[in-house]
């Protein structure tokens, strides 16, 4: 099949060859007439050299998304090849794990596609008009490579509108007697019950799973009694804390009633509910109230700050910094000397150095001394592609609050 040809005036070959698939309008020299949204095109460089096969979107800032730098047909076997490569890598970096992000968009060579696997359930989300058109081959490939018992399309995300796509949810495959709202999975020895159909994201923040494990390990080294989990979501850090024998009390804070209910359920499922209290509240308000005039006996041994990104673009960074600063100042006041602060940012626009400087300036403000003892990042099933700076977004540091 011959594809329409799009010519580039400028070919950033190094970037594209190394896996960065976005081509902006300024690089494009000519586009054939009658090209439609989501059409596959053959991309040629200024010297007529082949750049690859891409999908075209006339209304998007990302005018072309390159699917392959080879000359190949984009069909079911193309998707199977991508899925197999992604699976091979996950099996290496997360041996024994049955729940992971299998396709993380650009990082896995499929810009605009997310596929999450939770044991025998597979959920996918498409945010590219081009991939939307190729959905049938993609679904067939998922079926062939993974043979899931449940296959759900979770295209209920607002950012589909940037490519002119409506929100849509569909169950493509499910056994008759399985509840999609209460699907049990076990990850790293922790039981969860996921709402595959309604749940926020596809159920869990899979990018934090390896950090939950690192957190558990550090708690063994730093025996702790009282743990405060700010932005607790469905209890990822809280449950891990409560599973530690030394820990006597865990307080989890989240503004969403559904998340609080799920966290309570997860505490029960893991038999740690007597140690856990989940509170529906705004973390900023709660910290403000508790941090003023805190008595040492009410301080926490461990505090986790894992807020939402606060900033989706670089223009909102100033406001985000103020928010992070406030969180750190109050958390450091609430933290016992000798305790640990785990702090994360999932915004690409907050760099390691920026997060670190927020933590250290907050330490100055509160006249505390801290050591940075570990640095964390997104789990390895959310690969970082060095040619795509945006693919590195989740970072975190662990601070030890010095005594005296
Ligand atoms: N720590 C979790 C993920 C946190 S996601 C994990 O490891 O799985 C961020 C959470 O913050 C979401 O559950 C969201 O509901 C909550 N949230 C956002 N803003 C908030 C606020 N101001 N106060 C309390 N919770 C908030």
């Amino acid at each position: 099949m011959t594809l329409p040809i799009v010519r580039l005036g400028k070919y950033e070959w190094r970037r594209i060859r190394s896996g960065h698939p976005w081509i902006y309008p300024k690089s494009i020299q000519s586009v054939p007439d009658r090209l439609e949204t989501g059409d596959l095109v053959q991309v040629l460089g200024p010297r007529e050299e082949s750049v690859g096969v891409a999908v075209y979107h006339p209304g998007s800032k990302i005018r072309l998304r390159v699917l392959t730098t080879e000359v190949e047909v984009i069909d079911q076997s193309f998707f199977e090849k991508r899925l197999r490569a992604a699976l091979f890598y996950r099996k290496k970096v997360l041996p024994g794990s049955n729940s992971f992000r299998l396709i993380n968009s650009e990082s896995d060579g499929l810009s605009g596609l997310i596929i999450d696997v939770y044991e025998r359930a597979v959920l996918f989300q498409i945010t590219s008009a081009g991939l939307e058109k190729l959905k049938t081959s993609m679904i067939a490939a998922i079926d062939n490579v993974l043979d899931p018992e449940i296959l759900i399309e979770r295209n209920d995300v607002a950012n589909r509108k940037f490519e002119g796509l409506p929100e849509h949810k569909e169950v493509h495959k499910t056994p008759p007697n399985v509840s999609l709202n209460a699907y049990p999975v076990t990850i790293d020895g922790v039981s969860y019950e996921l709402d595959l159909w309604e749940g926020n994201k596809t159920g869990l923040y899979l990018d934090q799973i390896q950090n939950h494990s690192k957190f558990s390990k550090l708690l063994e080294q730093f025996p702790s009694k009282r743990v405060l989990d700010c932005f607790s979501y469905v209890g990822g850090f809280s449950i891990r804390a409560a599973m530690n024998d030394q820990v006597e009390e865990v307080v989890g804070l989240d503004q969403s009633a559904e998340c609080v209910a799920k966290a309570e359920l997860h505490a029960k499922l893991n038999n740690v509910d007597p140690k856990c209290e989940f509170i529906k509240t705004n973390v900023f308000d709660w910290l403000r109230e508790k941090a003023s005039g805190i008595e040492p006996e009410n301080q926490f041994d461990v505090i986790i700050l894992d807020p939402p990104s606060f900033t989706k673009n670089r223009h909102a960074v100033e406001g985000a910094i103020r928010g992070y600063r406030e969180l750190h100042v109050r958390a450091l006041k609430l933290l016992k000397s000798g305790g640990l602060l785990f702090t994360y940012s999932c915004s690409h626009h907050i760099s390691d150095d920026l997060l670190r400087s927020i933590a250290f300036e907050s330490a100055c403000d509160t006249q505390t001394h801290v050591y940075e003892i570990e640095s964390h990042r997104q789990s390895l099933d959310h690969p970082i592609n060095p040619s795509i700076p945006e693919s590195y977004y989740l970072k975190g540091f662990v601070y030890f609050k010095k005594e005296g």
Side-chain angles (χ1 to χ4, degrees):
M1 186 181 69
T2 49
L3 296 173
I5 290 174
V6 171
R7 286 193 167 75
L8 304 184
K10 179 172 139 215
Y11 170 26
E12 299 119 302
W13 68 271
R14 201 178 262 287
R15 184 174 65 83
I16 294 168
R17 285 267 155 203
S18 63
H20 197 303
W22 300 347
I23 299 176
Y24 298 103
K26 65 177 190 311
S27 305
I28 297 174
Q29 193 178 55
S30 69
V31 173
D33 295 339
R34 290 190 294 279
L35 211 51
E36 286 182 16
T37 300
D39 278 354
L40 282 169
V41 295
Q42 176 71 49
V43 185
L44 297 183
R47 291 189 197 83
E48 296 288 297
E49 69 274 43
S50 170
V51 174
V53 179
V55 288
Y56 173 76
H57 197 300
S60 169
K61 272 197 282 188
I62 305 170
R63 197 58 51 93
L64 295 167
R65 292 177 194 250
V66 177
L67 290 176
T68 176
T69 51
E70 310 286 314
V71 179
E72 62 181 323
V73 180
I74 307 298
D75 56 6
Q76 180 180 335
S77 60
F78 162 80
F79 285 108
E80 288 186 13
K81 196 172 72 178
R82 285 276 189 274
L83 291 178
R84 289 209 168 89
L87 194 57
F88 176 83
Y89 166 76
R90 269 68 181 180
K91 294 284 169 203
K92 291 275 177 223
V93 294
L94 300 174
S97 175
N98 297 319
S99 298
F100 44 78
R101 176 154 293 184
L102 176 64
I103 296 291
N104 195 34
S105 200
E106 287 79 22
S107 310
D108 287 294
L110 288 170
S111 177
L113 178 65
I114 298 288
I115 301 180
D116 285 344
V117 176
Y118 294 105
E119 298 185 359
R120 303 294 322 283
V122 172
L123 290 83
F124 70 88
Q125 195 167 82
I126 298 172
T127 49
S128 142
L131 287 186
E132 179 82 15
K133 278 194 172 175
L134 297 162
K135 194 165 80 178
T136 311
S137 324
M138 190 207 68
I139 289 175
I142 293 178
D143 230 354
N144 223 4
V145 174
L146 301 168
D147 188 26
E149 68 172 1
I150 295 173
L151 179 59
I152 299 181
E153 178 173 350
R154 283 293 305 269
N155 278 334
D156 50 335
V157 279
N159 58 357
R160 279 176 53 97
K161 68 172 182 282
F162 298 122
E163 296 246 336
L165 298 169
E167 294 190 24
H168 178 72
K169 286 206 290 188
E170 192 173 334
V171 178
H172 290 275
K173 206 175 166 186
T174 185
N177 49 355
V178 166
S179 163
L180 299 179
N181 301 107
Y183 187 71
V185 294
T186 304
I187 304 179
D188 258 357
V190 181
S191 302
Y192 300 93
E193 195 179 273
L194 303 184
D195 187 342
L196 302 176
W197 185 241
E198 302 282 353
N200 190 9
K201 302 260 282 189
T202 59
L204 291 176
Y205 283 89
L206 287 167
D207 51 6
Q208 279 289 25
I209 295 291
Q210 288 191 299
N211 295 329
H212 295 163
S213 306
K214 290 177 183 162
F215 168 78
S216 293
K217 286 209 180 79
L218 267 180
L219 282 198
E220 283 165 24
Q221 269 174 274
F222 289 83
S224 308
K225 285 189 180 149
R226 301 188 73 225
V227 177
L228 176 64
D229 182 8
C230 300
F231 309 95
S232 47
Y233 189 51
V234 296
F237 285 104
S238 301
I239 308 293
R240 290 303 196 109
M243 286 169 107
N244 179 294
D245 287 342
Q246 307 288 326
V247 170
E248 293 171 3
E249 183 192 350
V250 179
V251 178
L253 310 175
D254 203 284
Q255 69 183 10
S256 147
E258 293 90 65
C259 290
V260 165
K262 268 283 178 197
E264 283 167 348
L265 174 74
H266 291 154
K268 275 207 185 69
L269 283 177
N270 292 283
N271 300 316
V272 291
D273 47 314
K275 287 185 186 182
C276 296
E277 181 188 11
F278 292 99
I279 303 172
K280 179 191 170 309
T281 183
N282 183 325
V283 167
F284 288 88
D285 297 341
W286 195 93
L287 290 180
R288 195 173 300 134
E289 190 192 316
K290 301 286 175 189
S292 62
I294 177 96
E295 298 296 333
E297 64 271 21
N298 292 326
Q299 285 176 317
F300 290 86
D301 301 286
V302 173
I303 298 181
I304 301 121
L305 297 176
D306 185 19
S309 85
F310 292 147
T311 163
K312 293 259 184 278
N313 59 59
R314 63 195 152 77
H315 307 294
V317 169
E318 281 306 311
I321 293 174
R322 276 194 298 279
Y324 281 114
R325 184 86 174 256
E326 181 177 340
L327 290 174
H328 285 82
V329 164
R330 302 212 197 277
L332 284 169
K333 285 186 184 160
L334 280 169
L335 188 66
K336 261 189 200 143
S337 293
L340 297 180
L341 172 66
F342 290 75
T343 179
Y344 296 92
S345 167
C346 58
S347 169
H348 161 68
H349 302 284
I350 303 286
S351 66
D352 286 39
D353 280 346
L354 185 50
L355 181 60
R356 186 179 275 134
S357 73
I358 291 167
F360 277 105
E361 280 168 27
S362 308
C364 291
D365 288 353
T366 50
Q367 297 179 357
T368 41
H369 290 273
V370 293
Y371 290 140
E372 185 180 305
I373 61 169
E374 267 189 20
S375 60
H376 292 176
R377 49 170 53 183
Q378 66 219 46
S379 296
L380 290 168
D381 50 344
H382 293 61
I384 297 167
N385 179 337
S387 76
I388 310 173
E390 299 83 356
S391 67
Y392 174 47
Y393 63 99
L394 175 62
K395 71 280 306 172
F397 297 111
V398 186
Y399 290 102
F400 170 76
K401 182 170 168 181
K402 277 168 67 183
E403 310 224 17

